[in-house]
Structure formats: C-alpha cells, structure tokens
Amino acid sequence: MTEEIAVIPGDGIGQEVVPAAVDVLDTVGDFAFVEAEAGDHVLEAEGEALPQETYDLAADADATLFGAAGETAADVILPLREAVGSFANVRPARAYPGVDALRPETDLVFVRENTEGVYTGIESEIADGVTTLTRVITEDASRRIAEYGFEYAAENGFDDVTVAHKANVMRVTDGEFLDACEAVADEGGYEYDEALMDALAMHLLLRPEEYGVVICPNLAGDMLSDLAAGLVGGLGLLPSANIGPDNALFEPVHGSAPDIAGQGISNPCATILSAAMLLEHLGYQEEATTVRTAVEGVLADGPHTPDLGGDASTEDVTEAIVDRL
Ligand code: NAI
Ligand code: MG
C-alpha cells in the first residue's frame, strides 16, 4: 500500500524546510504526497488561514507533515492537531556530536498531554479586573498520556521515566493526573519517579543526563520542552509529533522564522527529524533509523547552516543528508 502523506509547508521557512523533508521521504520510501496550503499567506489570499480542504486532507491522510505558520499559527496548528485527533505531543530534545550544546549529555523526550490542562480556553472575566481560568484534568486523558509515555519509554530504550506535576498545590487536578499515572504504571509494571515541575526545570538544566522520558500535563510539557531546546543547541534541531489514535501530524518545534525566510539558509534538520518520526509512526523503523543516522552524520561532519555556525544553504544540507541515505 502507498501511504498518503498530507504536506502543509505553511509560511516563511516552512516553504524551505518541508520540501527538504519531502525529498528525504521520497528517497527512502514510496509515498503519495498531497500538498495543501495554510497560514498567513492563505488568510491574505482567501480570507481564512486554514481552508476546510486542508483540514480534511490532514484528517484523511495516513500522516501529515507540517512546516510552520506565522501570526496565524494558533488558528492553523490547533485545528490541525484536532483534525488528526492528537492527544500526545512528543518532543525529543537531544544533543548531537558536532553541535554546540549547553548540555551535550541531553537525551530527553517530553510526552505532553495535548488536549486539556490549562489550554482548554475556558477563561472568563468574572468581574472588572478579576479573571479566571478552568484547568481540566480527566482520568481518561491522563491515563491515555501515561500509557503512551510508559510504552514509548519501553519501546525506545529509556530507563528513566519522570511524571511532572504540581500536586502539592493543584491537589485535585494534578492529584488526578498522578493517580492515573500510578494506576497505569501498576497495571503495566512500569517504574517511574515523580517530580514537582518547578524543581524539575532546575534539575533538567543542571543534570539532564539523569532523565529520559518526561510525562507532563499540557502547560508543563510546553514549558519544559522549550527549556530543553535551550540545552541542545537551538530550534533548528527539534522535531515533534502530534499523535492521535490512528492518525498523526509531524512538525518542527520552530516557527516560520520571518527573520531568515526566503534566504535559503534555514536549517532543515528539525523537519527532516520530524519526517523520521513520521516514518517510525507508519512502521518504517529501518528507514527512520537510516534518516536519523544521515542527519547525525551531517551534524557531525557538516555542512552546517548559519544557525549552527556554518555557511551552508538549506539545499546544501539537504543534499548532504540525501547523499548519505
Ligand atoms: P521561530 O521559531 O520562527 O524563530 C525563532 C528564532 O529561531 C529566529 O531567530 C529564527 O531565525 C530561528 N530559527 C527557527 N527555526 C530555524 C531553522 N530551522 N533554522 C535556522 N534558524 C531557525 O519563532 P518566533 O520568531 O517566535 O516566531 C516567528 C513566527 O512563527 C511567529 O509569527 C509565530 O507566531 C510563528 N510560530 C509558529 C509556530 C508553528 O507554526 N507551530 C511555532 C512557533 C512560532
Ligand atoms: Mg510552545
């Protein structure tokens, strides 16, 4: 079967890094790529940032590769994550030989709950100058992210699993989250540690080598994974996956980078590593490893784009990766 992959480059450097990742996918596999538009430039031309046909394409494809949107990012990526039924946001943060990193020993994967917590949008101004936000934590969603996180750790060879929370203050909601994680761990025979998310931020910075998979409620996962991005040498290297029950969307963590867009110097590695996650998701483990090894080789030996201190173009780096496949 030829899988259909929806390809949504979006704005800015999305238009540069997504074609690079498609080249890589095309080299290692036999996929049907269907391209669709979204983002600021579509809002300008058509009056909406995410046309229904793009949403439908992502919902119906076997997997989606997304670049980035600009100012319309929230209007594009949140519905797209919903289109694929995503409940888990998986964000690996790993340092690579050849790349200057604050903490070269970092090899972390954040498994972030992607549907609730404080990102429910249930906010109100209940009186002049008094505002509230409702934090939703359900047993179902907590169990689902815990199951995904523990299984991910087991399948990918991580010994350390940490559940991030703040149940000493948010006793009811994070109490529920912790109880669900504990129940899933008991049932599956998984081992893990708990960590208060604020203290964890410091420990990740000081001793990242003591951590592996970190299972997080929504906001904690967003913040801790960005912190980890800083440990490994920048946004140009960070892939991510949005996983649903039977569909998924893959995207670099970075945005549309208007400061360098159009110059052909964006680093394609984050998007190519996202494509490797896509391959893995579709069951092409060997191809995923081949792509990762090629990226690691180029990171170690060059060429490098300017964000990594080199003077190579997006195309040079992509060619060097494809040559190694
Ligand atoms: P950004 O990630 O686009 O850029 C931050 C800095 O990192 C910039 O200096 C940029 O040049 C650099 N950078 C990012 N990716 C790079 C790459 N692949 N190679 C080389 N350098 C890279 O974040 P920023 O500047 O905060 O936002 C720019 C736009 O992107 C905004 O309109 C924002 O709304 C949007 N955005 C979209 C996201 C999405 O679609 N998922 C996520 C984050 C931001
Ligand atoms: Mg974020």
Side-chain angles (χ1 to χ4, degrees):
M1 193 187 103
T2 303
E3 282 96 347
E4 185 176 280
I5 299 179
V7 174
I8 309 172
D11 296 313
I13 63 167
Q15 296 284 344
E16 304 167 15
V17 293
V18 167
V22 168
D23 275 356
V24 166
L25 287 172
D26 212 19
T27 307
V28 298
D30 179 24
F31 301 109
F33 298 101
V34 197
E35 195 164 323
E37 295 283 350
D40 298 359
H41 70 286
V42 185
L43 176 68
E44 221 163 274
E46 298 179 26
E48 55 178 349
L50 182 67
Q52 185 66 37
E53 67 237 44
T54 303
Y55 181 97
D56 292 343
L57 200 72
D60 296 340
D62 293 299
T64 297
L65 184 67
F66 174 68
E71 293 311 310
T72 55
D75 303 324
V76 172
I77 190 61
L78 297 181
L80 280 178
R81 286 177 184 159
E82 178 205 286
V84 302
S86 158
F87 63 86
N89 185 209
V90 183
R91 294 183 168 193
R94 190 170 159 211
Y96 294 95
V99 177
D100 224 4
L102 194 58
R103 292 281 175 206
E105 58 280 38
T106 307
D107 185 6
L108 297 163
V109 180
F110 294 87
V111 175
R112 164 191 172 198
E113 203 289 321
N114 212 9
T115 65
E116 52 182 35
V118 293
Y119 287 5
T120 49
I122 310 171
E123 288 192 291
S124 0
E125 181 169 10
I126 54 172
D128 198 24
V130 184
T131 57
T132 62
L133 160 67
T134 301
R135 183 172 197 255
V136 177
I137 300 280
T138 64
E139 184 183 355
D140 281 356
S142 303
R143 282 191 61 100
R144 203 165 49 167
I145 198 69
E147 280 162 9
Y148 189 87
F150 286 124
E151 278 167 28
Y152 182 96
E155 279 168 19
N156 292 279
F158 285 94
D159 294 331
D160 297 307
V161 180
T162 306
V163 173
H165 67 95
K166 189 78 182 170
N168 57 336
V169 177
M170 297 185 279
R171 293 188 185 129
V172 177
T173 50
D174 267 355
E176 180 68 50
F177 187 75
L178 271 185
D179 286 350
C181 290
E182 190 183 346
V184 170
D186 282 350
E187 288 159 25
Y190 301 115
E191 298 202 2
Y192 70 101
D193 294 311
E194 293 171 19
L196 292 170
M197 57 175 82
D198 47 354
L200 180 60
M202 181 188 72
H203 286 134
L204 287 172
L205 180 67
L206 294 177
R207 292 188 294 277
E209 70 279 9
E210 291 179 8
Y211 297 89
V213 170
V214 186
I215 300 173
C216 311
N218 205 340
L219 173 64
D222 199 7
M223 296 191 56
L224 293 174
S225 61
D226 274 22
L227 177 130
L231 300 179
V232 300
L235 282 168
L237 296 176
L238 286 163
S240 77
N242 297 279
I243 306 287
D246 37 40
N247 199 342
L249 177 145
F250 301 82
E251 53 170 336
V253 170
H254 65 71
S256 62
D259 53 338
I260 58 164
Q263 299 176 35
I265 54 164
S266 55
N267 187 344
C269 290
T271 312
I272 293 173
L273 290 168
S274 303
M277 295 179 86
L278 181 154
L279 286 166
E280 205 162 49
H281 181 75
L282 291 179
Y284 299 103
Q285 185 60 52
E286 207 174 299
E287 288 81 351
T289 304
T290 307
V291 170
R292 282 199 189 104
T293 307
V295 172
E296 281 163 24
V298 168
L299 289 175
D301 302 337
H304 287 167
T305 42
D307 57 307
L308 300 181
D311 58 8
S313 68
T314 309
E315 234 168 81
D316 296 335
V317 172
T318 308
E319 257 177 47
I321 292 169
V322 169
D323 279 349
R324 285 173 182 257
L325 293 174

